[in-house]
PDB file of all heavy atoms in Angstrom:
ATOM      1  N   GLU A 217     -11.085  24.175  -5.896  1.00  0.00           N
ATOM      2  CA  GLU A 217     -10.182  24.790  -4.934  1.00  0.00           C
ATOM      3  C   GLU A 217     -10.932  25.723  -3.986  1.00  0.00           C
ATOM      4  O   GLU A 217     -10.684  25.789  -2.783  1.00  0.00           O
ATOM      5  CB  GLU A 217      -9.086  25.573  -5.631  1.00  0.00           C
ATOM      6  CG  GLU A 217      -8.076  26.162  -4.745  1.00  0.00           C
ATOM      7  CD  GLU A 217      -6.979  26.850  -5.515  1.00  0.00           C
ATOM      8  OE1 GLU A 217      -7.213  27.206  -6.725  1.00  0.00           O
ATOM      9  OE2 GLU A 217      -5.894  27.100  -4.995  1.00  0.00           O
ATOM     10  N   ASP A 218     -11.911  26.468  -4.518  1.00  0.00           N
ATOM     11  CA  ASP A 218     -12.678  27.419  -3.660  1.00  0.00           C
ATOM     12  C   ASP A 218     -13.439  26.779  -2.540  1.00  0.00           C
ATOM     13  O   ASP A 218     -13.697  27.357  -1.544  1.00  0.00           O
ATOM     14  CB  ASP A 218     -13.618  28.296  -4.508  1.00  0.00           C
ATOM     15  CG  ASP A 218     -12.823  29.184  -5.471  1.00  0.00           C
ATOM     16  OD1 ASP A 218     -11.656  29.444  -5.195  1.00  0.00           O
ATOM     17  OD2 ASP A 218     -13.418  29.581  -6.491  1.00  0.00           O
ATOM     18  N   THR A 219     -13.769  25.511  -2.746  1.00  0.00           N
ATOM     19  CA  THR A 219     -14.504  24.774  -1.705  1.00  0.00           C
ATOM     20  C   THR A 219     -13.673  23.929  -0.870  1.00  0.00           C
ATOM     21  O   THR A 219     -14.154  23.170  -0.069  1.00  0.00           O
ATOM     22  CB  THR A 219     -15.598  23.846  -2.384  1.00  0.00           C
ATOM     23  OG1 THR A 219     -14.894  22.873  -3.167  1.00  0.00           O
ATOM     24  CG2 THR A 219     -16.519  24.645  -3.284  1.00  0.00           C
ATOM     25  N   GLY A 220     -12.382  24.114  -1.004  1.00  0.00           N
ATOM     26  CA  GLY A 220     -11.419  23.343  -0.226  1.00  0.00           C
ATOM     27  C   GLY A 220     -11.185  21.953  -0.691  1.00  0.00           C
ATOM     28  O   GLY A 220     -10.600  21.141  -0.023  1.00  0.00           O
ATOM     29  N   GLN A 221     -11.654  21.612  -1.941  1.00  0.00           N
ATOM     30  CA  GLN A 221     -11.504  20.291  -2.469  1.00  0.00           C
ATOM     31  C   GLN A 221     -10.475  20.316  -3.618  1.00  0.00           C
ATOM     32  O   GLN A 221     -10.237  21.402  -4.230  1.00  0.00           O
ATOM     33  CB  GLN A 221     -12.819  19.767  -3.043  1.00  0.00           C
ATOM     34  CG  GLN A 221     -13.919  19.674  -1.929  1.00  0.00           C
ATOM     35  CD  GLN A 221     -15.219  19.260  -2.565  1.00  0.00           C
ATOM     36  OE1 GLN A 221     -15.376  19.294  -3.793  1.00  0.00           O
ATOM     37  NE2 GLN A 221     -16.171  18.924  -1.744  1.00  0.00           N
ATOM     38  N   THR A 222      -9.901  19.187  -3.848  1.00  0.00           N
ATOM     39  CA  THR A 222      -9.001  19.070  -5.003  1.00  0.00           C
ATOM     40  C   THR A 222      -9.563  18.056  -5.978  1.00  0.00           C
ATOM     41  O   THR A 222     -10.310  17.187  -5.625  1.00  0.00           O
ATOM     42  CB  THR A 222      -7.590  18.627  -4.548  1.00  0.00           C
ATOM     43  OG1 THR A 222      -7.720  17.407  -3.847  1.00  0.00           O
ATOM     44  CG2 THR A 222      -6.945  19.654  -3.684  1.00  0.00           C
ATOM     45  N   LEU A 223      -9.137  18.193  -7.210  1.00  0.00           N
ATOM     46  CA  LEU A 223      -9.638  17.291  -8.257  1.00  0.00           C
ATOM     47  C   LEU A 223      -8.995  15.924  -8.095  1.00  0.00           C
ATOM     48  O   LEU A 223      -7.803  15.797  -8.036  1.00  0.00           O
ATOM     49  CB  LEU A 223      -9.267  17.869  -9.620  1.00  0.00           C
ATOM     50  CG  LEU A 223      -9.725  17.070 -10.832  1.00  0.00           C
ATOM     51  CD1 LEU A 223     -11.262  17.109 -10.925  1.00  0.00           C
ATOM     52  CD2 LEU A 223      -9.138  17.688 -12.088  1.00  0.00           C
ATOM     53  N   THR A 224      -9.820  14.896  -8.084  1.00  0.00           N
ATOM     54  CA  THR A 224      -9.308  13.537  -8.062  1.00  0.00           C
ATOM     55  C   THR A 224      -9.942  12.751  -9.181  1.00  0.00           C
ATOM     56  O   THR A 224     -11.060  13.063  -9.605  1.00  0.00           O
ATOM     57  CB  THR A 224      -9.593  12.834  -6.709  1.00  0.00           C
ATOM     58  OG1 THR A 224     -10.996  12.887  -6.481  1.00  0.00           O
ATOM     59  CG2 THR A 224      -8.908  13.532  -5.558  1.00  0.00           C
ATOM     60  N   LEU A 225      -9.296  11.748  -9.660  1.00  0.00           N
ATOM     61  CA  LEU A 225      -9.824  10.949 -10.728  1.00  0.00           C
ATOM     62  C   LEU A 225     -10.952  10.080 -10.231  1.00  0.00           C
ATOM     63  O   LEU A 225     -10.870   9.490  -9.137  1.00  0.00           O
ATOM     64  CB  LEU A 225      -8.732  10.011 -11.318  1.00  0.00           C
ATOM     65  CG  LEU A 225      -7.523  10.826 -11.909  1.00  0.00           C
ATOM     66  CD1 LEU A 225      -6.513   9.831 -12.470  1.00  0.00           C
ATOM     67  CD2 LEU A 225      -7.979  11.758 -12.996  1.00  0.00           C
ATOM     68  N   PRO A 226     -12.029   9.928 -10.908  1.00  0.00           N
ATOM     69  CA  PRO A 226     -13.228   9.258 -10.478  1.00  0.00           C
ATOM     70  C   PRO A 226     -13.037   7.808 -10.135  1.00  0.00           C
ATOM     71  O   PRO A 226     -13.709   7.247  -9.341  1.00  0.00           O
ATOM     72  CB  PRO A 226     -14.292   9.473 -11.537  1.00  0.00           C
ATOM     73  CG  PRO A 226     -13.508   9.764 -12.784  1.00  0.00           C
ATOM     74  CD  PRO A 226     -12.276  10.517 -12.301  1.00  0.00           C
ATOM     75  N   GLU A 227     -12.080   7.142 -10.871  1.00  0.00           N
ATOM     76  CA  GLU A 227     -11.902   5.702 -10.637  1.00  0.00           C
ATOM     77  C   GLU A 227     -11.194   5.398  -9.389  1.00  0.00           C
ATOM     78  O   GLU A 227     -11.040   4.199  -9.059  1.00  0.00           O
ATOM     79  CB  GLU A 227     -11.212   5.068 -11.850  1.00  0.00           C
ATOM     80  CG  GLU A 227      -9.941   5.741 -12.211  1.00  0.00           C
ATOM     81  CD  GLU A 227     -10.127   6.784 -13.275  1.00  0.00           C
ATOM     82  OE1 GLU A 227     -11.024   7.610 -13.098  1.00  0.00           O
ATOM     83  OE2 GLU A 227      -9.438   6.767 -14.297  1.00  0.00           O
ATOM     84  N   PHE A 228     -10.649   6.348  -8.681  1.00  0.00           N
ATOM     85  CA  PHE A 228      -9.913   6.128  -7.427  1.00  0.00           C
ATOM     86  C   PHE A 228     -10.882   6.350  -6.286  1.00  0.00           C
ATOM     87  O   PHE A 228     -11.455   7.424  -6.147  1.00  0.00           O
ATOM     88  CB  PHE A 228      -8.716   7.007  -7.288  1.00  0.00           C
ATOM     89  CG  PHE A 228      -7.689   6.831  -8.423  1.00  0.00           C
ATOM     90  CD1 PHE A 228      -7.193   7.896  -9.120  1.00  0.00           C
ATOM     91  CD2 PHE A 228      -7.324   5.568  -8.794  1.00  0.00           C
ATOM     92  CE1 PHE A 228      -6.287   7.724 -10.132  1.00  0.00           C
ATOM     93  CE2 PHE A 228      -6.433   5.382  -9.804  1.00  0.00           C
ATOM     94  CZ  PHE A 228      -5.917   6.449 -10.495  1.00  0.00           C
ATOM     95  N   ARG A 229     -11.001   5.380  -5.355  1.00  0.00           N
ATOM     96  CA  ARG A 229     -11.858   5.532  -4.262  1.00  0.00           C
ATOM     97  C   ARG A 229     -11.128   6.142  -3.054  1.00  0.00           C
ATOM     98  O   ARG A 229      -9.951   5.880  -2.830  1.00  0.00           O
ATOM     99  CB  ARG A 229     -12.392   4.137  -3.812  1.00  0.00           C
ATOM    100  CG  ARG A 229     -13.182   3.436  -4.943  1.00  0.00           C
ATOM    101  CD  ARG A 229     -14.069   2.403  -4.299  1.00  0.00           C
ATOM    102  NE  ARG A 229     -13.349   1.534  -3.405  1.00  0.00           N
ATOM    103  CZ  ARG A 229     -12.735   0.432  -3.739  1.00  0.00           C
ATOM    104  NH1 ARG A 229     -12.747   0.077  -5.026  1.00  0.00           N
ATOM    105  NH2 ARG A 229     -12.127  -0.318  -2.892  1.00  0.00           N
ATOM    106  N   ALA A 230     -11.818   6.942  -2.265  1.00  0.00           N
ATOM    107  CA  ALA A 230     -11.236   7.629  -1.175  1.00  0.00           C
ATOM    108  C   ALA A 230     -10.827   6.665  -0.041  1.00  0.00           C
ATOM    109  O   ALA A 230     -10.009   7.003   0.777  1.00  0.00           O
ATOM    110  CB  ALA A 230     -12.189   8.716  -0.635  1.00  0.00           C
ATOM    111  N   ASP A 231     -11.459   5.488  -0.041  1.00  0.00           N
ATOM    112  CA  ASP A 231     -11.125   4.513   1.018  1.00  0.00           C
ATOM    113  C   ASP A 231     -10.051   3.529   0.598  1.00  0.00           C
ATOM    114  O   ASP A 231      -9.813   2.537   1.263  1.00  0.00           O
ATOM    115  CB  ASP A 231     -12.379   3.800   1.452  1.00  0.00           C
ATOM    116  CG  ASP A 231     -13.000   2.945   0.334  1.00  0.00           C
ATOM    117  OD1 ASP A 231     -12.578   3.182  -0.858  1.00  0.00           O
ATOM    118  OD2 ASP A 231     -13.857   2.152   0.583  1.00  0.00           O
ATOM    119  N   ALA A 232      -9.317   3.870  -0.515  1.00  0.00           N
ATOM    120  CA  ALA A 232      -8.308   2.920  -0.997  1.00  0.00           C
ATOM    121  C   ALA A 232      -7.185   2.756   0.040  1.00  0.00           C
ATOM    122  O   ALA A 232      -6.637   1.673   0.184  1.00  0.00           O
ATOM    123  CB  ALA A 232      -7.743   3.367  -2.319  1.00  0.00           C
ATOM    124  N   GLY A 233      -6.861   3.823   0.761  1.00  0.00           N
ATOM    125  CA  GLY A 233      -5.799   3.726   1.730  1.00  0.00           C
ATOM    126  C   GLY A 233      -6.171   2.789   2.841  1.00  0.00           C
ATOM    127  O   GLY A 233      -5.304   2.142   3.431  1.00  0.00           O
ATOM    128  N   ALA A 234      -7.468   2.653   3.187  1.00  0.00           N
ATOM    129  CA  ALA A 234      -7.830   1.752   4.287  1.00  0.00           C
ATOM    130  C   ALA A 234      -7.642   0.303   3.935  1.00  0.00           C
ATOM    131  O   ALA A 234      -7.434  -0.544   4.738  1.00  0.00           O
ATOM    132  CB  ALA A 234      -9.287   1.992   4.666  1.00  0.00           C
ATOM    133  N   GLU A 235      -7.686   0.013   2.593  1.00  0.00           N
ATOM    134  CA  GLU A 235      -7.548  -1.335   2.151  1.00  0.00           C
ATOM    135  C   GLU A 235      -6.117  -1.723   2.024  1.00  0.00           C
ATOM    136  O   GLU A 235      -5.764  -2.858   1.834  1.00  0.00           O
ATOM    137  CB  GLU A 235      -8.270  -1.565   0.792  1.00  0.00           C
ATOM    138  CG  GLU A 235      -9.755  -1.325   0.916  1.00  0.00           C
ATOM    139  CD  GLU A 235     -10.368  -1.424  -0.513  1.00  0.00           C
ATOM    140  OE1 GLU A 235      -9.646  -1.650  -1.419  1.00  0.00           O
ATOM    141  OE2 GLU A 235     -11.628  -1.269  -0.570  1.00  0.00           O
ATOM    142  N   ASP A 236      -5.206  -0.746   2.009  1.00  0.00           N
ATOM    143  CA  ASP A 236      -3.780  -0.976   1.699  1.00  0.00           C
ATOM    144  C   ASP A 236      -3.146  -1.948   2.625  1.00  0.00           C
ATOM    145  O   ASP A 236      -2.421  -2.854   2.237  1.00  0.00           O
ATOM    146  CB  ASP A 236      -3.054   0.365   1.725  1.00  0.00           C
ATOM    147  CG  ASP A 236      -1.609   0.246   1.318  1.00  0.00           C
ATOM    148  OD1 ASP A 236      -1.368  -0.283   0.240  1.00  0.00           O
ATOM    149  OD2 ASP A 236      -0.697   0.595   2.121  1.00  0.00           O
ATOM    150  N   GLY A 237      -3.433  -1.820   3.963  1.00  0.00           N
ATOM    151  CA  GLY A 237      -2.778  -2.693   4.896  1.00  0.00           C
ATOM    152  C   GLY A 237      -3.199  -4.127   4.666  1.00  0.00           C
ATOM    153  O   GLY A 237      -2.392  -5.093   4.743  1.00  0.00           O
ATOM    154  N   ALA A 238      -4.511  -4.330   4.376  1.00  0.00           N
ATOM    155  CA  ALA A 238      -4.978  -5.718   4.119  1.00  0.00           C
ATOM    156  C   ALA A 238      -4.316  -6.272   2.896  1.00  0.00           C
ATOM    157  O   ALA A 238      -3.946  -7.439   2.836  1.00  0.00           O
ATOM    158  CB  ALA A 238      -6.520  -5.710   3.933  1.00  0.00           C
ATOM    159  N   ASN A 239      -4.231  -5.459   1.755  1.00  0.00           N
ATOM    160  CA  ASN A 239      -3.566  -5.968   0.584  1.00  0.00           C
ATOM    161  C   ASN A 239      -2.147  -6.291   0.809  1.00  0.00           C
ATOM    162  O   ASN A 239      -1.608  -7.276   0.308  1.00  0.00           O
ATOM    163  CB  ASN A 239      -3.671  -4.927  -0.499  1.00  0.00           C
ATOM    164  CG  ASN A 239      -5.114  -4.735  -0.989  1.00  0.00           C
ATOM    165  OD1 ASN A 239      -5.934  -5.619  -0.849  1.00  0.00           O
ATOM    166  ND2 ASN A 239      -5.404  -3.552  -1.516  1.00  0.00           N
ATOM    167  N   ASP A 240      -1.437  -5.464   1.578  1.00  0.00           N
ATOM    168  CA  ASP A 240      -0.032  -5.726   1.900  1.00  0.00           C
ATOM    169  C   ASP A 240       0.145  -7.044   2.660  1.00  0.00           C
ATOM    170  O   ASP A 240       1.079  -7.792   2.460  1.00  0.00           O
ATOM    171  CB  ASP A 240       0.619  -4.562   2.673  1.00  0.00           C
ATOM    172  CG  ASP A 240       0.886  -3.374   1.757  1.00  0.00           C
ATOM    173  OD1 ASP A 240       1.019  -3.622   0.551  1.00  0.00           O
ATOM    174  OD2 ASP A 240       0.985  -2.259   2.331  1.00  0.00           O
ATOM    175  N   ALA A 241      -0.771  -7.265   3.590  1.00  0.00           N
ATOM    176  CA  ALA A 241      -0.696  -8.461   4.408  1.00  0.00           C
ATOM    177  C   ALA A 241      -0.851  -9.682   3.497  1.00  0.00           C
ATOM    178  O   ALA A 241      -0.179 -10.713   3.708  1.00  0.00           O
ATOM    179  CB  ALA A 241      -1.797  -8.437   5.475  1.00  0.00           C
ATOM    180  N   GLU A 242      -1.751  -9.614   2.484  1.00  0.00           N
ATOM    181  CA  GLU A 242      -1.921 -10.663   1.577  1.00  0.00           C
ATOM    182  C   GLU A 242      -0.663 -10.895   0.759  1.00  0.00           C
ATOM    183  O   GLU A 242      -0.217 -11.997   0.551  1.00  0.00           O
ATOM    184  CB  GLU A 242      -3.109 -10.457   0.656  1.00  0.00           C
ATOM    185  CG  GLU A 242      -4.478 -10.498   1.433  1.00  0.00           C
ATOM    186  CD  GLU A 242      -5.591 -10.148   0.473  1.00  0.00           C
ATOM    187  OE1 GLU A 242      -5.328  -9.977  -0.717  1.00  0.00           O
ATOM    188  OE2 GLU A 242      -6.718 -10.045   0.929  1.00  0.00           O
ATOM    189  N   GLU A 243      -0.081  -9.785   0.272  1.00  0.00           N
ATOM    190  CA  GLU A 243       1.142  -9.859  -0.557  1.00  0.00           C
ATOM    191  C   GLU A 243       2.294 -10.493   0.201  1.00  0.00           C
ATOM    192  O   GLU A 243       3.066 -11.261  -0.367  1.00  0.00           O
ATOM    193  CB  GLU A 243       1.492  -8.498  -1.077  1.00  0.00           C
ATOM    194  CG  GLU A 243       0.500  -7.951  -2.076  1.00  0.00           C
ATOM    195  CD  GLU A 243       0.819  -6.525  -2.414  1.00  0.00           C
ATOM    196  OE1 GLU A 243       1.842  -5.991  -1.970  1.00  0.00           O
ATOM    197  OE2 GLU A 243       0.006  -5.946  -3.163  1.00  0.00           O
ATOM    198  N   ASP A 244       2.406 -10.138   1.506  1.00  0.00           N
ATOM    199  CA  ASP A 244       3.570 -10.654   2.245  1.00  0.00           C
ATOM    200  C   ASP A 244       3.462 -12.192   2.464  1.00  0.00           C
ATOM    201  O   ASP A 244       4.463 -12.810   2.840  1.00  0.00           O
ATOM    202  CB  ASP A 244       3.591  -9.938   3.619  1.00  0.00           C
ATOM    203  CG  ASP A 244       4.065  -8.535   3.494  1.00  0.00           C
ATOM    204  OD1 ASP A 244       4.613  -8.161   2.441  1.00  0.00           O
ATOM    205  OD2 ASP A 244       3.799  -7.764   4.424  1.00  0.00           O
ATOM    206  N   THR A 245       2.249 -12.766   2.354  1.00  0.00           N
ATOM    207  CA  THR A 245       2.143 -14.211   2.548  1.00  0.00           C
ATOM    208  C   THR A 245       2.351 -14.931   1.252  1.00  0.00           C
ATOM    209  O   THR A 245       2.445 -16.182   1.255  1.00  0.00           O
ATOM    210  CB  THR A 245       0.715 -14.534   3.060  1.00  0.00           C
ATOM    211  OG1 THR A 245      -0.235 -14.160   2.069  1.00  0.00           O
ATOM    212  CG2 THR A 245       0.437 -13.851   4.361  1.00  0.00           C
ATOM    213  N   LEU A 246       2.515 -14.258   0.121  1.00  0.00           N
ATOM    214  CA  LEU A 246       2.743 -14.961  -1.148  1.00  0.00           C
ATOM    215  C   LEU A 246       4.120 -15.512  -1.185  1.00  0.00           C
ATOM    216  O   LEU A 246       5.086 -14.984  -0.676  1.00  0.00           O
ATOM    217  CB  LEU A 246       2.509 -14.009  -2.285  1.00  0.00           C
ATOM    218  CG  LEU A 246       1.079 -13.527  -2.541  1.00  0.00           C
ATOM    219  CD1 LEU A 246       1.052 -12.527  -3.722  1.00  0.00           C
ATOM    220  CD2 LEU A 246       0.173 -14.676  -2.835  1.00  0.00           C
ATOM    221  N   ASP A 247       4.258 -16.650  -1.871  1.00  0.00           N
ATOM    222  CA  ASP A 247       5.536 -17.265  -2.051  1.00  0.00           C
ATOM    223  C   ASP A 247       5.801 -17.301  -3.542  1.00  0.00           C
ATOM    224  O   ASP A 247       4.877 -17.259  -4.383  1.00  0.00           O
ATOM    225  CB  ASP A 247       5.506 -18.730  -1.492  1.00  0.00           C
ATOM    226  CG  ASP A 247       6.884 -19.372  -1.549  1.00  0.00           C
ATOM    227  OD1 ASP A 247       7.241 -19.918  -2.595  1.00  0.00           O
ATOM    228  OD2 ASP A 247       7.547 -19.319  -0.498  1.00  0.00           O
ATOM    229  N   GLU A 248       7.059 -17.353  -3.939  1.00  0.00           N
ATOM    230  CA  GLU A 248       7.360 -17.374  -5.384  1.00  0.00           C
ATOM    231  C   GLU A 248       6.717 -18.577  -6.045  1.00  0.00           C
ATOM    232  O   GLU A 248       6.316 -18.512  -7.216  1.00  0.00           O
ATOM    233  CB  GLU A 248       8.870 -17.496  -5.590  1.00  0.00           C
ATOM    234  CG  GLU A 248       9.607 -16.193  -5.243  1.00  0.00           C
ATOM    235  CD  GLU A 248      11.109 -16.295  -5.557  1.00  0.00           C
ATOM    236  OE1 GLU A 248      11.477 -17.316  -6.085  1.00  0.00           O
ATOM    237  OE2 GLU A 248      11.796 -15.338  -5.226  1.00  0.00           O
ATOM    238  N   LEU A 249       6.501 -19.662  -5.345  1.00  0.00           N
ATOM    239  CA  LEU A 249       5.854 -20.863  -5.901  1.00  0.00           C
ATOM    240  C   LEU A 249       4.413 -20.582  -6.252  1.00  0.00           C
ATOM    241  O   LEU A 249       3.803 -21.293  -7.081  1.00  0.00           O
ATOM    242  CB  LEU A 249       5.947 -22.013  -4.920  1.00  0.00           C
ATOM    243  CG  LEU A 249       7.373 -22.529  -4.634  1.00  0.00           C
ATOM    244  CD1 LEU A 249       7.382 -23.614  -3.585  1.00  0.00           C
ATOM    245  CD2 LEU A 249       8.097 -22.981  -5.902  1.00  0.00           C
ATOM    246  N   ASP A 250       3.795 -19.560  -5.618  1.00  0.00           N
ATOM    247  CA  ASP A 250       2.403 -19.294  -5.851  1.00  0.00           C
ATOM    248  C   ASP A 250       2.213 -18.768  -7.306  1.00  0.00           C
ATOM    249  O   ASP A 250       1.116 -18.769  -7.817  1.00  0.00           O
ATOM    250  CB  ASP A 250       1.859 -18.216  -4.895  1.00  0.00           C
ATOM    251  CG  ASP A 250       1.812 -18.749  -3.514  1.00  0.00           C
ATOM    252  OD1 ASP A 250       1.520 -19.943  -3.308  1.00  0.00           O
ATOM    253  OD2 ASP A 250       2.093 -17.968  -2.532  1.00  0.00           O
TER     254      ASP A 250
END
């Protein structure tokens, strides 16, 4: 906190949000038959 940072779990990457749109685009193309 003193350095302006917050504790985050090491297995989560800071760039996960940037990949979110790409993942959603893939999910939207899925069909139940898949």
Side-chain angles (χ1 to χ4, degrees):
E217 184 177 20
D218 293 340
T219 64
Q221 300 175 347
T222 55
L223 181 67
T224 57
L225 299 180
E227 52 268 49
F228 301 132
R229 301 200 310 272
D231 61 348
E235 298 175 0
D236 183 57
N239 291 336
D240 285 337
E242 292 176 5
E243 291 172 5
D244 288 342
T245 63
L246 292 178
D247 188 276
E248 290 184 3
L249 296 177
D250 294 325

